[in-house]
Amino acid sequence: MAYYGVLFDNALDVALAPLGLGPEVARKTGASVFTAQAQVHYLRELHAGDRVIVETRLIGHDAKRLHYVQTMRRVGADEPAAISENLILHVDLNSRRVAPFAPEVLARIADAVAAHAHLPLPQQVGRRVGLRRDRT
C-alpha cells in the first residue's frame, strides 16, 4: 500500500509545480501543503516493475485549501488501479498554521480548477468510509 502512496505523492509534486507549489517552492518561500484528508480506493493490484500513469484532477479550492483526485492506471490499461481523493491545506512552515495561498498561486489554482471542470470524476469521489447500518 505504501508504494501506491509514494506514486500518488510524486505525481502530486509534478502537478503542483506549475501552480507555484511543491517542494522547491516550499524551500524558497517557507510555505507548503499538508494533507488534511485522504481516501484511497485500491481497485486492482499492481506489481513491482509495473509502469503506471497518474492523472491529477483539481476539483475545488478556496483561499487556503485545494481538493483534488488522482487516478492511477497501469500503462496500457483502461481500468484504474487506484483512486486517491485528497484535501490539502496551505501552511506557513514557520508558524505551522494554515495560511492563504499567495494571490498569483490562487489565480493559477482557480484557472486549473476551471480547466479541469469538464473532466469526468471517478465514481469513488465523495464516498464516505464506513459500514452500512443494518436497518433491523
Side-chain angles (χ1 to χ4, degrees):
M1 283 179 24
Y3 295 106
Y4 288 72
V6 169
L7 291 167
F8 279 129
D9 195 48
N10 288 340
L12 182 63
D13 287 345
V14 171
L16 293 181
L19 302 176
L21 299 169
E24 283 298 314
V25 175
R27 283 189 278 283
K28 292 177 186 174
T29 67
S32 188
V33 292
F34 287 13
T35 300
Q37 188 174 359
Q39 183 171 342
V40 180
H41 298 264
Y42 300 96
L43 306 171
R44 284 172 185 71
E45 187 176 16
L46 293 172
H47 301 280
D50 283 350
R51 296 185 55 213
V52 300
I53 295 170
V54 177
E55 298 168 343
T56 302
R57 177 182 171 192
L58 306 184
I59 299 171
H61 75 288
D62 63 19
K64 301 176 184 180
R65 300 176 298 177
L66 179 59
H67 181 202
Y68 66 94
V69 63
Q70 293 176 294
T71 303
M72 182 185 305
R73 289 182 175 79
R74 180 181 290 113
V75 170
D78 292 330
E79 298 298 319
I83 306 286
S84 180
E85 180 182 7
N86 299 268
L87 181 68
I88 55 177
L89 308 173
H90 188 250
V91 175
D92 178 315
L93 296 174
N94 294 314
S95 69
R96 307 307 268 192
R97 298 185 61 84
V98 178
F101 294 108
E104 64 277 6
V105 171
L106 188 59
R108 285 191 289 269
I109 290 170
D111 289 346
V113 169
H116 292 180
H118 73 283
L119 299 172
L121 287 172
Q123 66 183 14
Q124 292 80 5
V125 170
R127 287 196 179 166
R128 66 180 203 103
V129 175
L131 300 174
R132 291 180 76 172
R133 290 188 197 176
D134 186 9
R135 298 180 186 207
T136 59

